[in-house]
Amino acid sequence: MLESMSLFHLLTFLKFAVILVIILSVAPVMAWVERRGSALMQNRLGPNRIGPLGLFQSICDAIKFLFKEDPIPGHVSKFYYALAPVVSLVPAFMTFAVVPFASTIEVDGRVLGFQLADLNVGLLYVFSVASLGVYGIIMGGWSSNNKFALLGGLRSSSQMISYELSLGLSVIGIIMAFSSVHLGEIVQGQAEVFRQIGPFVLPEWLQVPKWGILVQPLGFIIFITAAFAETNRLPFDLPEGESEIVAGYHLEYGAMKFSMFMMAEYINMFVASSLIATLYFGGYHGLHWVLNLVPLEGMSREWMRIALELGAFFLKVAFFMWFFVWVRWTLPRFRYDQVMELGWKVMLPISLANIFLTAFAVYYGWI
Amino acid sequence: MLVKAKKSFLQRFYLVEVIKGLGITMRNMLFAPKVTIQYPEERRKYSERFRGMHYVKATNGVENCTACMLCPTVCPAECIHIVAGERPDKEKYPVQFEIDVLRCCFCGMCEEACPKDAIKLSTIYEMSQVTRQVYDKDYLAEQRGNK
């Protein structure tokens, strides 16, 4: 068995396993961060009983979810009802295939990359897969055969479509600036030096890495706002709303099926955070200066570099995960018409304007 | 009447206001005192006038109650059941003194009505039981407060 498999396949399986473990551990950790973070912001303490700082609370929750009865209501369309949580969860996992966690390393003449699939259409793949996530929600809302659930699914579909436009358009700026849709190349491009703001050349001591946020400040604001809407997080969590449509699309779901929707939400957050880090905050760059502080030579230095890159990437991702939680407990939610107004009347024109501005800058060689 | 609040340009732009809001939540998270009471270890201090679990006050080991029936009379929930008896020294006393605590609404009227300062409501609020208990005379004789 092992002999027939090439080393490439073995490595891919290994990477797949590691990434899967990382992704699966995101949901429980984020559930804990969310609960403790919200509690602290509201001057409470939150779950702090089980394990150090209450960290094992999520494990208890998971065990409870696993052992709960998993009833299927009589009035639902059974096949699609059971399929919906899977459909919302799987695309969330799939997006990670192209995210580069670190740059490549050469081991015994072989180049080892820290991403599952080095696709040359990286960003297009991300968007095509990410847009599949909404089908799970619509399917859940539709198959539940419940008015509230259907309304939740409808809301989420219109919201996702409205904001996917500005999400996609805001990224075009990045693609233009780094002239690539390949995520690895975009990250490599961000290692270059940011020389000038518009026509003004920066002095030598002010030259910082050319991170996406410096090249595309407007695009970044649009992207992060649209990412909030895409992940159905507050202030855009319209698909659920206790006072209006009860629990929305997952109203009829319980036990593990419900927790799969929850996991999909957190994993989507993870995807959005890693995309923000990759596209706008230099991906795995940022900690390389530590290499000059430690006296390491040869291979150990290379592995140190990889470790620093992984560290930098996950630090950035962790910050944006926290940012998602932070924003959720800061901002009140929008009304539905306000969401649509923001999406179509504000975000869309601005993201189109951003493309023109970027084209202008690229034409004059400012970027 | 719908009054539209006047907003400056920066406020209408939202972004600055959002960042201000983020500052507020972060300040609350890091510096504000937390109000949670860590229950089993630390308990809320209730006022001395709190109306909790009942007891019948005793002086020198003898209950103050003379079975005058004022408390069962005033009780709106009709949860106090007293059977009066006579001691050898002709003193009237309760042979049976029961409070059906499941019916009790903790209004404290019995405590107010009592002329002998006998029935009392203590500050104890942890009263859950695994059985449907009726407080009998022995149970109520335990001195649970300093009122």
Side-chain angles (χ1 to χ4, degrees):
Chain A
M1 175 69 187
L2 266 175
E3 282 164 33
S4 66
M5 264 198 297
S6 67
L7 193 64
F8 173 77
H9 287 125
L10 196 69
L11 272 175
T12 310
F13 271 117
L14 203 68
K15 280 190 236 170
F16 174 72
V18 170
I19 291 174
L20 198 67
V21 167
I22 291 172
I23 294 173
L24 282 175
S25 54
V26 157
V29 171
M30 278 319 287
W32 175 79
V33 169
E34 183 109 56
R35 292 179 67 183
R36 294 267 359 219
S38 69
L40 290 172
M41 282 174 188
Q42 294 164 355
N43 303 349
R44 300 181 283 117
L45 287 176
N48 61 350
R49 291 276 149 176
I50 304 158
L53 295 170
L55 258 171
F56 298 160
Q57 180 71 44
S58 308
I59 301 175
C60 298
D61 290 350
I63 292 171
K64 182 194 144 206
F65 271 131
L66 279 170
F67 282 95
K68 269 175 103 166
E69 191 193 353
D70 191 7
I72 296 180
H75 55 81
V76 301
S77 165
K78 285 191 180 54
F79 177 70
Y80 293 108
Y81 176 83
L83 192 65
V86 184
V87 171
S88 70
L89 193 57
V90 168
F93 281 110
M94 279 164 69
T95 324
F96 270 90
V98 293
V99 175
F101 297 107
S103 62
T104 52
I105 184 171
E106 222 179 281
V107 187
D108 300 333
R110 256 191 218 90
V111 177
L112 184 66
F114 282 81
Q115 72 197 103
L116 200 53
D118 197 6
L119 292 187
N120 55 0
V121 288
L123 213 45
L124 299 181
Y125 170 84
V126 168
F127 282 107
S128 57
V129 171
S131 61
L132 287 176
V134 71
Y135 286 101
I137 291 174
I138 298 170
M139 215 183 261
W142 182 263
S143 67
S144 291
N145 192 12
N146 175 311
K147 286 173 189 128
F148 289 131
L150 178 60
L151 279 172
L154 275 177
R155 278 184 178 201
S156 108
S157 60
S158 53
Q159 179 186 321
M160 296 276 237
I161 288 163
S162 310
Y163 280 84
E164 220 157 62
L165 278 174
S166 13
L167 192 75
L169 288 175
S170 68
V171 166
I172 288 181
I174 279 284
I175 296 171
M176 286 160 87
F178 296 104
S179 42
S180 175
V181 286
H182 184 264
L183 282 172
E185 278 175 27
I186 290 174
V187 174
Q188 286 300 331
Q190 294 182 62
E192 289 166 19
V193 179
F194 185 63
R195 280 180 217 290
Q196 51 185 20
I197 301 172
F200 309 108
V201 178
L202 288 171
E204 195 71 41
W205 54 271
L206 244 175
Q207 287 184 349
V208 283
K210 190 180 164 187
W211 284 5
I213 186 172
L214 297 173
V215 184
Q216 288 279 312
L218 196 57
F220 168 69
I221 292 167
I222 299 163
F223 186 88
I224 200 164
T225 315
F228 272 95
E230 282 293 296
T231 47
N232 290 328
R233 292 284 296 184
L234 239 83
F236 302 106
D237 73 332
L238 275 302
E240 36 191 312
E242 288 78 21
S243 51
E244 303 150 19
I245 49 171
V246 200
Y249 62 93
H250 57 60
L251 178 58
E252 298 284 358
Y253 286 88
M256 207 57 209
K257 289 202 188 78
F258 165 73
S259 81
M260 276 166 89
F261 275 123
M262 283 288 285
M263 267 172 77
E265 184 183 323
Y266 283 122
I267 292 165
N268 276 327
M269 259 167 75
F270 192 40
V271 172
S273 307
S274 42
L275 277 182
I276 293 166
T278 307
L279 296 177
Y280 292 96
F281 283 86
Y284 45 73
H285 294 298
L287 280 181
H288 282 141
W289 50 271
V290 182
L291 267 184
N292 302 328
L293 306 179
V294 281
L296 285 173
E297 290 302 323
M299 263 336 267
S300 52
R301 188 182 165 84
E302 285 292 286
W303 282 112
M304 182 73 188
R305 178 176 62 83
I306 292 294
L308 286 174
E309 283 175 352
L310 285 173
F313 180 77
F314 283 110
L315 267 179
K316 285 169 191 171
V317 172
F319 173 77
F320 282 103
M321 300 284 276
W322 166 245
F323 189 70
F324 269 89
V325 174
W326 190 8
V327 167
R328 173 170 178 185
W329 299 103
T330 300
L331 300 181
R333 64 206 294 262
F334 283 94
R335 215 168 51 215
Y336 195 68
D337 60 314
Q338 291 172 330
V339 170
M340 285 295 124
E341 200 171 287
L342 184 70
W344 290 100
K345 288 188 188 166
V346 181
M347 304 271 287
L348 189 63
I350 291 181
S351 54
L352 285 170
N354 182 51
I355 292 175
F356 279 103
L357 277 176
T358 314
F360 199 68
V362 169
Y363 181 76
Y364 283 98
W366 294 344
I367 296 174
Chain B
M1 193 175 78
L2 188 71
V3 182
K4 277 215 160 180
K6 282 210 177 75
K7 288 176 189 155
S8 68
F9 175 75
L10 272 181
Q11 277 173 328
R12 272 185 285 137
F13 194 53
Y14 283 125
L15 218 59
V16 179
E17 299 296 307
V18 166
I19 290 163
K20 274 187 197 167
L22 289 173
I24 289 170
T25 41
M26 189 45 91
R27 203 166 61 232
N28 264 290
M29 188 179 108
L30 296 177
F31 305 117
K34 304 292 176 258
V35 294
T36 308
I37 293 171
Q38 298 272 309
Y39 168 60
E41 289 92 37
E42 108 188 73
R43 273 147 213 247
R44 187 185 293 280
K45 183 84 182 90
Y46 280 105
S47 133
E48 283 301 310
R49 296 178 58 177
F50 183 83
R51 302 191 296 266
M53 191 189 273
H54 314 71
Y55 68 99
V56 175
K57 196 164 182 177
T59 319
N60 302 327
V62 182
E63 72 274 354
N64 285 1
C65 180
T66 55
C68 66
M69 303 291 173
L70 277 176
C71 52
T73 311
V74 78
C75 183
E78 297 184 358
C79 66
I80 308 176
H81 307 290
I82 301 175
V83 175
E86 205 181 62
R87 284 211 185 87
D89 58 352
K90 302 293 182 198
E91 184 89 6
K92 201 178 171 194
Y93 82 109
V95 179
Q96 189 196 30
F97 194 120
E98 284 184 353
I99 295 175
D100 186 355
V101 77
L102 293 173
R103 294 192 60 161
C104 179
C105 63
F106 296 93
C107 61
M109 301 269 266
C110 47
E111 188 179 16
E112 272 183 53
C114 185
K116 286 289 183 184
D117 220 15
I119 189 162
K120 287 283 183 187
L121 294 160
S122 67
T123 51
I124 296 167
Y125 51 88
E126 288 144 323
M127 305 168 69
S128 32
Q129 304 272 353
V130 287
T131 52
R132 298 194 166 212
Q133 206 180 353
V134 173
Y135 294 166
D136 57 12
K137 198 180 156 189
D138 291 338
Y139 192 83
L140 290 168
E142 201 182 309
Q143 302 296 302
R144 291 196 176 81
N146 50 5
K147 276 202 275 190

